[in-house]
Amino acid sequence: MMRPFSFARLNAAGLAAMFCFLSAVPAQAAPCELTVSAAASLTAAFKQIAARFESSQVCKLRLNFGASGVLVQQMRHGAPVDVLATADQQSMDLAAQHGLINPKSRQDFIANTLVLIAPVGSAILSGIAPGGSERSASGLSAAGLGGTPASSESQAALLQQLSKPQVERIAIGNPASVPAGRYAKEALQHAGLAKTLEAKLVSGTHVRQVLDYVVRHEVEAGFVYASDAKGQQVQQLGAVATQTAIRYPLAISTASANPAAALAFSRFVRSEAAQQILLQHGFSPKGE
């Protein structure tokens, strides 16, 4: 009569044979997952790019959006990140200084333009067309004026309007961590208006919050990127010339658990398909 099977009766040879058999059974490959930390202004475009990337790759993307400076701080505190995309060079420089990114993987992939916006229906401020002509903000379409800064005289006139007593609140990203806020602050300083307007400034934790303030009519004006304003219920008053070119760098984290897949995503962001998505969302070619 056959005795029931018992693991206790397996001798050393039997255990070894069973181990070899189990080892020979192919294990199911662990799913590839990448964490991408990207500037808040990239939210809509990167969600679309991620969907396109996932449809052609075996990797699942986890997207983390925020102010560029905050993203770097998260990495410094151990947040797991495979790819970092910031809205400025300064934040990426900081990441490089702390050894958080592979410097050889760093590349600019797109550009942007700073614009001054106002709530829909507001007639307090006048927009400046690229050619320098002035027009009432209430007569502008939600699509805005485009991303070409006007002449220096028109720029001065555009920003000088913010001194009007009717303009009580101006939304701006926190310059300490939000690149758009830093660009806006530099523009105001260059125009000699930083001290004059200081009491009117309302700080946002990221550029999308600044946009929300304007959409909800909580402020009379705000500084955002052209990509943020595109298609939104706001009026673009004009493009604001910045002292620093607004170019977005992307790099692979030195702590990436899957650097090969991270490189594949980095290349995809620079592909023609992804670049077209970015341009559709209001960004500018990085060569401009």
Side-chain angles (χ1 to χ4, degrees):
M1 184 175 178
M2 293 185 62
R3 298 173 63 185
F5 176 81
S6 171
F7 276 101
R9 292 191 294 107
L10 277 175
N11 56 25
L15 287 171
M18 179 169 285
F19 176 77
C20 290
F21 171 77
L22 293 174
S23 299
V25 177
Q28 185 176 0
C32 170
E33 185 173 271
L34 289 177
T35 297
V36 178
S37 282
S41 53
L42 290 165
T43 300
F46 261 36
K47 283 182 178 180
Q48 192 173 344
I49 288 173
R52 185 78 65 89
F53 178 78
E54 289 175 339
S55 68
S56 60
Q57 303 285 332
V58 294
C59 271
K60 173 72 175 176
L61 294 185
R62 294 179 64 252
L63 300 176
N64 173 45
F65 297 107
S68 296
V70 172
L71 298 178
V72 175
Q73 289 301 316
Q74 290 174 352
M75 292 179 69
R76 290 184 63 185
H77 286 88
V81 175
D82 295 287
V83 178
L84 174 67
T86 63
D88 66 330
Q89 302 298 329
Q90 184 173 320
S91 297
M92 192 64 79
D93 289 344
L94 183 62
Q97 290 169 14
H98 288 279
L100 302 174
I101 60 158
N102 179 349
K104 293 183 178 179
S105 70
R106 176 175 177 172
Q107 291 193 47
D108 294 347
F109 66 96
I110 203 67
N112 217 332
T113 303
L114 189 70
V115 295
L116 180 64
I117 61 174
V120 169
S122 173
I124 295 175
L125 302 173
S126 298
I128 302 296
S133 60
E134 184 174 309
R135 68 178 80 173
S136 170
S138 60
L140 297 176
S141 68
L145 294 167
T148 305
S151 65
S152 57
E153 294 80 6
S154 297
Q155 281 278 302
L158 174 66
L159 297 178
Q160 191 65 44
Q161 296 180 91
L162 298 175
S163 301
K164 290 181 176 181
Q166 302 96 312
V167 179
E168 299 179 357
R169 298 172 299 276
I170 305 165
I172 181 176
N174 181 357
S177 58
V178 184
R182 192 156 52 245
Y183 294 133
K185 182 179 179 180
E186 291 174 358
L188 293 176
Q189 289 174 335
H190 185 72
L193 295 169
K195 289 292 185 182
T196 302
L197 301 178
E198 187 174 9
K200 298 184 178 187
L201 300 182
V202 176
S203 181
T205 56
H206 51 74
V207 71
R208 301 295 290 188
Q209 186 177 60
V210 172
L211 176 67
D212 288 342
Y213 286 154
V214 179
V215 171
R216 296 196 299 260
H217 291 243
E218 295 176 3
V219 297
E220 284 71 47
F223 291 92
V224 300
Y225 295 122
S227 60
D228 295 302
K230 185 178 176 64
Q232 300 295 324
Q233 290 303 305
V234 296
Q235 299 174 94
Q236 288 193 46
L237 305 178
V240 178
T242 55
Q243 303 307 298
T244 306
I246 304 176
R247 293 192 173 90
Y248 288 51
L250 177 148
I252 298 172
S253 168
T254 52
S256 175
N258 199 336
L263 178 60
F265 178 74
S266 174
R267 288 173 174 168
F268 184 76
V269 169
R270 302 193 305 275
S271 70
E272 183 177 353
Q275 289 292 301
Q276 284 301 313
I277 292 174
L278 287 161
L279 294 178
Q280 290 166 7
H281 282 272
F283 290 87
S284 310
K286 63 182 178 65
E288 293 186 357

